[in-house]
Amino acid sequence: MTDFNTELVMRMVCRKAAEVPEIGQDGICLTNPGSDAVFPCVVLSPPLQRPKYHGAAWDLSFTVEVWARKQYEVMRLFDEVKKKLWEYNLMLTNNTPLT
């Protein structure tokens, strides 16, 4: 079984989410944004990982949150980030709460 490189996976996901023009590199956060945050932004949580098939594959789960000033903007940007992550064969497997 090979070791899982959490940092590398997070860097790859951050780079892919930053490809959305409105987000960019400055709009990627690893913690919830503070009062000085610039919106829109994306909050990414580190992946939970579990080896499968005797280490030949990994089952990953991580959270992607989009923060913006308006709900419709959040939905549009979330869809754009989701499309970018599809390029890594990552897909949505859970619901998307809107608050």
Side-chain angles (χ1 to χ4, degrees), residues 13-32:
V13 171
C14 288
R15 271 195 303 268
K16 193 53 78 174
E19 289 179 8
V20 175
E22 294 92 341
I23 303 294
Q25 193 63 40
D26 293 335
I28 303 296
C29 305
L30 300 179
T31 61
N32 285 345

Side-chain angles (χ1 to χ4, degrees), residues 1-91:
M1 180 168 59
T2 60
D3 289 334
F4 184 84
N5 189 332
T6 304
E7 179 185 1
L8 176 62
V9 170
M10 283 303 292
R11 286 183 184 275
M12 290 173 65
V13 171
C14 288
R15 271 195 303 268
K16 193 53 78 174
E19 289 179 8
V20 175
E22 294 92 341
I23 303 294
Q25 193 63 40
D26 293 335
I28 303 296
C29 305
L30 300 179
T31 61
N32 285 345
S35 60
D36 60 340
V38 177
F39 293 99
C41 66
V42 172
V43 178
L44 298 167
S45 66
L48 301 173
Q49 69 270 3
R50 181 179 56 168
K52 292 178 74 170
Y53 311 115
H54 304 291
W58 290 91
D59 185 18
L60 297 178
S61 174
F62 57 91
T63 303
V64 177
E65 297 177 5
V66 176
W67 294 52
R69 298 193 188 286
K70 298 187 187 243
Q71 194 164 358
Y72 286 121
E73 182 182 12
V74 167
M75 290 186 280
R76 183 182 59 76
L77 290 172
F78 182 82
D79 287 341
E80 289 184 34
V81 171
K82 182 173 61 174
K83 287 176 190 174
K84 289 295 182 183
L85 294 179
W86 280 345
E87 294 175 17
Y88 284 147
N89 288 328
L90 298 173
M91 64 180 150

